[in-house]
Amino acid sequence: TQLLEQSPQFLSIQEGENLTVYCNSSSVFSSLQWYRQEPGEGPVLLVTVVTGGEVKKLKRLTFQFGDARKDSSLHITAAQPGDTGLYLCAGLGGNTGKLIFGQGTTLQVKP
Amino acid sequence: ETGVTQTPRHLVMGMTNKKSLKCEQHLGHNAMYWYKQSAKKPLELMFVYNFKEQTENNSVPSRFSPECPNSSHLFLHLHTLQPEDSALYLCASSQMSGGTQYFGPGTRLLVL
């Protein structure tokens, strides 16, 4: 069974701080996606990473896919209250074609 | 029209009621999905439809019955649910099965 472990599960920081969220697995994924979900809404796709070692930037967010395509990280620079939400990583199983979700990281950025 | 819409957004039902959730996608996708999201648990895939055909049933109890009349619409028929079925039910679609998925806003279901 493919599993994705996200850490930390909860993070509360002050505006302006930096943070990193990790997504780890013992399985290889053909791609990995990061979503952000606000209360009462569905997850919104932030990025898809496909190539091992790939780094993608989205304004203050930096996403990295591990060389072996088993793990990923999301780094946020100078966090803002608008970054508050649930961050989900999801790996696409190469054999199954199914998305496997991590349990999520709840981020709270206080002004 | 936004990409993936779901109705109703909120639903309260008794254990003996029958209700249906509706999902519609305006993205021209061919695959649609139902997920269940419970507090502090990863999203659980329930069903997958590809070109209107069900390709995945992730051991979902028969009190949940999906229907996909065409590639743009997906329903989840509910009957004799249990309180533990209370959750956020999310619909998603992708161009093809296994592609990048786009989610709807979800239906918050409370079973009393």
Side-chain angles (χ1 to χ4, degrees):
Chain A
T1 302
Q2 292 179 303
L3 293 173
L4 270 172
E5 296 285 338
Q6 270 187 254
S7 62
Q9 290 192 32
F10 184 79
L11 193 55
S12 181
I13 60 172
Q14 293 295 133
E15 182 176 2
E17 292 184 17
N18 301 332
L19 67 116
T20 302
V21 177
Y22 299 94
C23 182
N24 295 300
S25 177
S26 58
S27 304
V28 175
F29 294 99
S30 57
S31 67
L32 196 136
Q33 295 160 19
W34 285 92
Y35 292 84
R36 179 167 159 264
Q37 184 178 18
E38 296 192 26
E41 299 296 329
V44 175
L45 180 69
L46 296 174
V47 77
T48 300
V49 285
V50 179
T51 307
E54 182 177 4
V55 177
K56 280 192 174 179
K57 291 192 175 184
L58 187 66
K59 297 183 181 177
R60 292 176 294 99
L61 279 60
T62 302
F63 305 86
Q64 184 162 10
F65 202 13
D67 291 340
R69 293 185 289 132
K70 293 182 180 181
D71 54 86
S72 182
S73 64
L74 158 60
H75 182 78
I76 301 179
T77 303
Q80 298 177 2
D83 295 327
T84 293
L86 176 68
Y87 288 82
L88 297 162
C89 66
L92 185 64
N95 294 331
T96 65
K98 290 194 289 188
L99 263 187
I100 307 298
F101 280 86
Q103 70 270 50
T105 295
T106 299
L107 172 64
Q108 181 184 57
V109 182
K110 292 182 270 190
Chain B
E1 191 69 75
T2 54
V4 183
T5 58
Q6 288 187 243
T7 55
R9 294 294 309 275
H10 302 272
L11 180 62
V12 180
M13 59 187 290
M15 290 191 286
T16 58
N17 291 160
K18 288 184 180 181
K19 296 287 184 182
S20 294
L21 310 184
K22 179 183 176 182
C23 175
E24 184 173 0
Q25 58 94 1
H26 308 272
L27 301 169
H29 289 168
N30 297 301
M32 297 188 78
Y33 311 77
W34 279 118
Y35 287 88
K36 176 183 179 183
Q37 187 176 34
S38 304
K40 299 182 180 179
K41 291 175 67 175
L43 266 75
E44 301 171 57
L45 178 65
M46 300 175 71
F47 301 103
V48 181
Y49 278 82
N50 198 32
F51 290 95
K52 303 188 301 177
E53 298 298 318
Q54 188 182 121
T55 57
E56 183 84 27
N57 177 337
N58 204 23
S59 302
V60 180
S62 60
R63 57 185 183 269
F64 295 91
S65 175
E67 179 190 1
C68 187
N70 55 62
S71 292
S72 299
H73 294 85
L74 185 64
F75 295 89
L76 188 62
H77 304 299
L78 317 171
H79 62 98
T80 58
L81 293 193
Q82 304 298 311
E84 60 265 29
D85 296 323
S86 299
L88 181 68
Y89 288 85
L90 291 161
C91 172
S93 71
S94 63
Q95 182 62 47
M96 302 290 290
S97 180
T100 299
Q101 295 181 25
Y102 296 85
F103 285 82
T107 295
R108 174 69 63 185
L109 174 67
L110 178 61
V111 181
L112 300 175

